[in-house]
Amino acid sequence: MLYRKSKYLWGLALISSFALIGCGGGTTVDSNPSGTTQNITLPTSFSVNDGRLLAANCAQCHGTNGNSVNSWDSIAGKSDIAGEFYEDENALMGAVAHGFTQNEVDNIASWLKTLPKNNNSNDDNDD
Amino acid sequence: MNNKNRLDRRDFIKYLSLGALFSTIPLSSNVATIPHVVVVGAGFAGSTCAKYLKLWGGDSINVTIIEPNSIYVSPILSNLVLNNQITTNQLSFNYDKHINSYQINMIYKSVSTIDSVNKELVLSDNSRVKYDKVILAPGIDFIKTNNYDFTKVPHAWIAGEQTNILKTQIDSMVDGDYFVMTIPKSPYRCPPGPYERACVVADYLKNSKGFTNSRVIVLDENSDIIVEKQNFQNAFNAHGVDYRPNCKVTQVDDTNKTLTYTEGSIAGKTITATVLNVIPNQKAAKIIFDTGLTGGGNFAPVNLLSYESTIKSDIHIIGDSHHSSQPKAGHIGNSEAKICADAVLRILSNNPLYQNPKTNSACYSPTSSTEASWLNAVYKYDAVNNNMILTDSSYYPKSSPSSTYNYREMFKWSENLFADTFS
Ligand SMILES: Cc1cc2nc3c(=O)[nH]c(=O)nc-3n(C[C@H](O)[C@H](O)[C@H](O)COP(=O)(O)OP(=O)(O)OC[C@H]3O[C@@H](n4cnc5c(N)ncnc54)[C@H](O)[C@@H]3O)c2cc1C
């Protein structure tokens, strides 16, 4: 029980631009302790991309630009996403997939395959 | 505590970096024409929007966030503070990534009024900030039945101090004491959230504290459990929650901890408890009303292709303050924020808006210290009614019953959601 609890806390602390507040607080923990988040390169200009906008729906669970911060799958750089999108055995993914058309999935896939994959991200598809 | 000092120092540093940023912009004829987009409020919707404006718009825009607090405490997962599974520290986020990685200017103040004619925001210290586009993401405000003290009768529906007040009150209960909570009339922030809270608290009192004589009583202004009915009913039965629909609070007495309410057609009923957790009815945040953006309702109507106000141009409203059929929730607020960021960038670069936006919602609800359920829906744009509607109303909302597996997965979901929003 205790072990599980502290594991979660560690998990949250790892990603959360973390700051300790409250009684006896005032300590600030490094916001990026182990490089779990990617280096960001901002573009010089804006260009329209429908696939990118649709794929932003994936980021809440699979990470910004498809790089997950934990064992949930990273999808950056994937070329086969269209094939597995509707077949994922994860029930929540199955539920979300139902809301997207094949055409939208193709659009999402063509954007995702252009994205660089983080070295430490997980794309095992085992979650 | 030295929080104050830290805030001042932060403010100071932010202003330095703001100056530095402007002075490092190449001195071309461009400088004057780079549009300035200001995001007001940096919770789930505002933080995501500001980040994605820069992630996608880069050097083509300047983005400023105006937010009074240097630390944001997530309401998502905050019910787990009440049963000792996590602390508010673990739900606390700062804006370092926004400042350093996304080059967003941070001003730790609140917006008092908006001068939409001159396109200027007036801040709490009377300073003014010009905008080309302003995105309001200020969250919710409460509709109180009467004037009472939130520190005595906490809502804990905006997380942080309120969460800890409620936690302390719960921890002061002894066996036999009553916990009475109320559920607001829909629409309110996080539809499953109050039911989730009732389960978590009842499980905590019974199974962690070992209380056999205490009771958790829920007065719901709605006529039934509004989401995940079977799941919550099962949990209510398992934990012995006393659930009463059609109960509308009419008076809160914070001294005697007594509620007056109407149950169905019977007015003037009262109930007294050691801990009263009234979650009041909700409306858009104050700045939305002060700017005249509600059109007579409680939330702000917007064009759902861009989230631009249908009442005033160049003002966009996202998250819990806007009006649509989408639930008032953080995961989907993050989704709305991206549609809005993309739309603002398209408008500023003279591109047509994307005509078929989709958003998705996910809520994980802990129902005990070991089990959670989830609720999901995907929304599409309905051009006829300018609304976001379920992509398939025979399928959604989709839910998964409480399980220990879902409880573990909940933390993976929240880690990625928090990272996509705040880092
Ligand atoms: C117990 C609980 C559980 C929840 N669980 C889930 C869940 O599982 N999934 C989910 O998706 N959602 C969940 N939610 C809902 C979610 O937390 C909210 O819907 C979400 O926080 C709304 O985001 P927002 O950006 O609109 O508002 P907020 O997150 O409230 O942010 C508003 C920000 O605006 C700032 N602000 C306000 N006025 C001004 C002003 N005048 N000037 C400048 N700044 C201002 C505030 O300081 C604040 O930081 C839960 C909520 C609760 C209470």
Side-chain angles (χ1 to χ4, degrees):
Chain A
M1 182 68 219
L2 251 179
Y3 164 73
R4 201 170 64 222
K5 184 172 155 189
S6 60
K7 195 175 98 188
Y8 292 148
L9 297 185
W10 177 82
L12 288 166
L14 200 65
I15 56 101
S16 67
S17 286
F18 215 74
L20 295 173
I21 50 172
C23 293
T27 321
T28 306
V29 177
D30 188 348
S31 68
N32 192 11
S34 64
T36 38
T37 46
Q38 58 193 321
N39 290 329
I40 305 293
T41 315
L42 301 180
T44 50
S45 63
F46 169 72
S47 54
V48 169
N49 190 315
D50 297 349
R52 182 185 60 198
L53 179 58
L54 285 165
N57 270 300
C58 311
Q60 292 106 313
C61 294
H62 295 284
T64 303
N65 282 342
N67 284 299
S68 167
V69 298
N70 58 35
S71 65
W72 274 19
D73 297 338
S74 281
I75 51 175
K78 285 210 142 195
S79 51
D80 55 348
I81 203 89
E84 64 195 47
F85 194 82
Y86 296 109
E87 265 93 58
D88 202 290
E89 55 193 38
N90 180 291
L92 178 55
M93 184 61 229
V96 177
H98 185 84
F100 291 85
T101 64
Q102 186 64 59
N103 188 37
E104 287 170 333
V105 176
D106 292 344
N107 242 329
I108 290 171
S110 56
W111 166 250
L112 289 177
K113 73 175 175 225
T114 68
L115 293 172
K117 197 162 89 72
N118 260 9
N119 291 337
N120 52 3
S121 64
N122 173 58
D123 62 355
D124 289 347
N125 270 334
D126 57 0
D127 279 289
Chain B
M1 227 175 73
N2 61 0
N3 239 1
K4 174 89 175 80
N5 287 344
R6 197 160 124 227
L7 212 124
D8 290 342
R9 203 188 74 230
R10 281 173 156 274
D11 250 346
F12 179 66
I13 292 167
K14 273 345 93 52
Y15 277 119
L16 278 184
S17 62
L18 199 134
L21 190 81
F22 286 134
S23 64
T24 52
I25 288 173
L27 281 177
S28 68
S29 56
N30 249 350
V31 172
T33 58
I34 293 177
H36 187 211
V37 181
V38 181
V39 178
V40 178
F44 277 93
S47 295
T48 306
C49 194
K51 166 177 165 174
Y52 274 80
L53 278 165
K54 286 301 281 185
L55 189 66
W56 293 340
D59 299 342
S60 70
I61 50 162
N62 287 324
V63 177
T64 298
I65 291 176
I66 302 176
E67 158 66 54
N69 304 309
S70 59
I71 305 281
Y72 175 82
V73 183
S74 165
I76 295 179
L77 297 193
S78 67
N79 282 333
L80 291 176
V81 174
L82 305 177
N83 67 346
N84 249 347
Q85 296 305 298
I86 56 174
T87 67
T88 47
N89 289 344
Q90 270 66 55
L91 298 175
S92 297
F93 301 90
N94 64 33
Y95 301 104
D96 287 356
K97 275 283 183 155
H98 282 75
I99 298 161
N100 299 323
S101 298
Y102 299 101
Q103 298 172 16
I104 293 164
N105 316 308
M106 218 46 227
I107 300 177
Y108 293 111
K109 300 205 169 102
S110 61
V111 172
S112 306
T113 52
I114 300 177
D115 175 350
S116 57
V117 177
N118 295 308
K119 294 174 87 172
E120 282 186 350
L121 306 171
V122 183
L123 309 194
S124 36
D125 61 351
N126 281 327
S127 60
R128 286 173 172 256
V129 174
K130 274 200 161 298
Y131 66 84
D132 295 295
K133 286 271 183 192
V134 62
I135 296 160
L136 305 179
I140 50 160
D141 197 0
F142 299 107
I143 304 168
K144 275 180 158 180
T145 47
N146 57 294
N147 193 19
Y148 64 91
D149 187 347
F150 276 150
T151 64
K152 292 183 182 153
V153 180
H155 50 76
W157 219 239
I158 290 172
E161 193 190 3
Q162 275 284 309
T163 316
N164 288 318
I165 291 172
L166 183 59
K167 182 189 171 32
T168 305
Q169 291 192 1
I170 291 171
D171 279 336
S172 73
M173 288 173 69
V174 297
D175 196 8
D177 286 348
Y178 281 21
F179 175 89
V180 171
M181 63 172 286
T182 73
I183 301 182
K185 181 105 189 125
S186 179
Y188 59 82
R189 162 175 287 182
C190 191
Y195 305 101
E196 160 191 326
R197 177 173 290 171
C199 296
V200 161
V201 172
D203 167 65
Y204 179 61
L205 295 178
K206 190 169 147 203
N207 298 320
S208 296
K209 297 239 179 219
F211 292 175
T212 49
N213 300 310
S214 281
R215 283 174 71 187
V216 170
I217 298 169
V218 178
L219 307 180
D220 190 346
E221 187 168 339
N222 301 290
S223 58
D224 204 347
I225 297 171
I226 65 168
V227 281
E228 298 182 63
K229 184 172 171 183
Q230 194 57 54
N231 182 50
F232 288 122
Q233 229 160 27
N234 292 345
F236 285 176
N237 291 340
H239 304 318
V241 171
D242 179 348
Y243 173 74
R244 305 178 190 175
N246 294 312
C247 290
K248 182 180 164 53
V249 181
T250 52
Q251 180 85 15
V252 180
D253 174 349
D254 59 12
T255 310
N256 298 308
K257 297 275 181 83
T258 299
L259 283 184
T260 309
Y261 63 101
T262 301
E263 183 166 17
S265 55
I266 308 164
K269 288 191 145 192
T270 60
I271 190 164
T272 301
T274 304
V275 179
L276 274 187
N277 173 211
V278 173
I279 306 171
N281 286 353
Q282 290 160 32
K283 59 182 178 182
K286 187 170 181 295
I287 188 72
I288 302 287
F289 282 87
D290 291 351
T291 314
L293 297 172
T294 61
N298 276 336
F299 298 95
V302 294
N303 170 357
L304 286 152
L305 291 178
S306 63
Y307 291 84
E308 186 164 7
S309 165
T310 54
I311 296 169
K312 292 189 180 177
S313 55
D314 297 317
I315 301 180
H316 299 242
I317 303 118
I318 54 175
D320 288 359
S321 269
H322 92 279
H323 171 81
S324 75
S325 296
Q326 296 169 116
K328 302 198 177 299
H331 183 110
I332 199 167
N334 168 300
S335 227
E336 295 155 13
K338 292 163 181 169
I339 306 289
C340 177
D342 177 80
V344 164
L345 290 165
R346 287 182 196 232
I347 293 167
L348 292 173
S349 57
N350 295 317
N351 281 294
L353 294 174
Y354 183 61
Q355 295 296 312
N356 300 295
K358 286 209 164 153
T359 55
N360 79 96
S361 178
C363 287
Y364 271 87
S365 288
T367 49
S368 72
S369 59
T370 54
E371 291 189 320
S373 63
W374 57 252
L375 180 69
N376 166 253
V378 179
Y379 291 81
K380 65 178 177 188
Y381 181 62
D382 168 15
V384 178
N385 300 305
N386 177 41
N387 199 357
M388 292 294 287
I389 58 171
L390 293 172
T391 49
D392 178 354
S393 58
S394 65
Y395 182 85
Y396 295 116
K398 189 82 182 161
S399 65
S400 167
S402 276
S403 68
T404 51
Y405 173 76
N406 283 341
Y407 189 88
R408 286 193 302 273
E409 295 293 282
M410 172 172 69
F411 293 95
K412 295 183 184 166
W413 161 75
S414 62
E415 281 178 343
N416 272 318
L417 172 62
F418 294 165
D420 188 42
T421 305
F422 297 105
S423 12

